[in-house]
Amino acid sequence: MARRTRQLMAMIPALGLAVMAASGCATPVNQGSGGSNISLVQAGKLVTCTHLSYKPFQFSQGDKTVGFDVDLVDLIAKDLGVTQQIFDTPFETITSGTSFNANQCDLAAAGMTITDERKQAIDFSEPYFEASQALLVKKGSGYKDLASLKGKKLGVQQDTTGEKYANDNAAANGYTVVQFEDLPLMETAVRTGAVDAAINDNGVLYDYAKEFPDTEVTTEFATGEQYGIGVKKGNTALLTKINDVLKKAKESGEYDKIYEKWFGKKPEKK
């Protein structure tokens, strides 16, 4: 997914920290068995840029950040002999490459759809999750597809692939697109009736409907999206390690265990 951009003022503290790090506060070090060419921004840490909250991929639980993406990156950190550290940042700073260029993080795991546009700014791992867009509505509303929303309000999360899909189909279906700053605000708007429906990635919407049974997902749209873990452009050593760990996790069954933990079922085999 293409996640929302926060206001510029929200970016300033994070970018300020990044400038400090880039000026020499965090010296890249070599880490991990078989990873002698891998440099990390902090000794003993694998720093992950993400954008909270995007449950169940990454979200806060007490004083910890947990989720499907978090567990996968923990496997990479373990292989490198370090621990994962989460860095919450506006999504635009990840997809634009700013976070990597500012030395904020080593990789980005943020339920992030691989797109040609993003490939111009950052490099992606092999796909690790398949997604499509879906429609969230209040249970019993009768909204089964975009055509049924004629004259209605469709909520979207800013700067997401869902927003693009909604805008591309708005004229043909006659609904009004309403932007929200983040996923929780968009989902809550469906429950309160501020919008008639909302569109976003299927994984997060099914998770929400499970938690709030007064809502439901009525349809999916075959957008054929795939998530990837992002790294700084040209960081081949770390990208190779990420792909290697993901491949081993799928072969060993560890990936399936993590998937079932967060989605309640094993991934479909092709």
Side-chain angles (χ1 to χ4, degrees), residues 230-246:
V231 300
K232 185 176 182 178
K233 203 76 179 167
N235 191 352
T236 306
L238 181 56
L239 193 62
T240 299
K241 173 61 69 175
I242 293 169
N243 285 332
D244 181 57
V245 172
L246 291 176

Side-chain angles (χ1 to χ4, degrees), residues 103-116:
N103 217 30
Q104 287 182 322
C105 52
D106 302 296
L107 58 79
M112 182 166 51
T113 299
I114 301 169
T115 69
D116 289 338

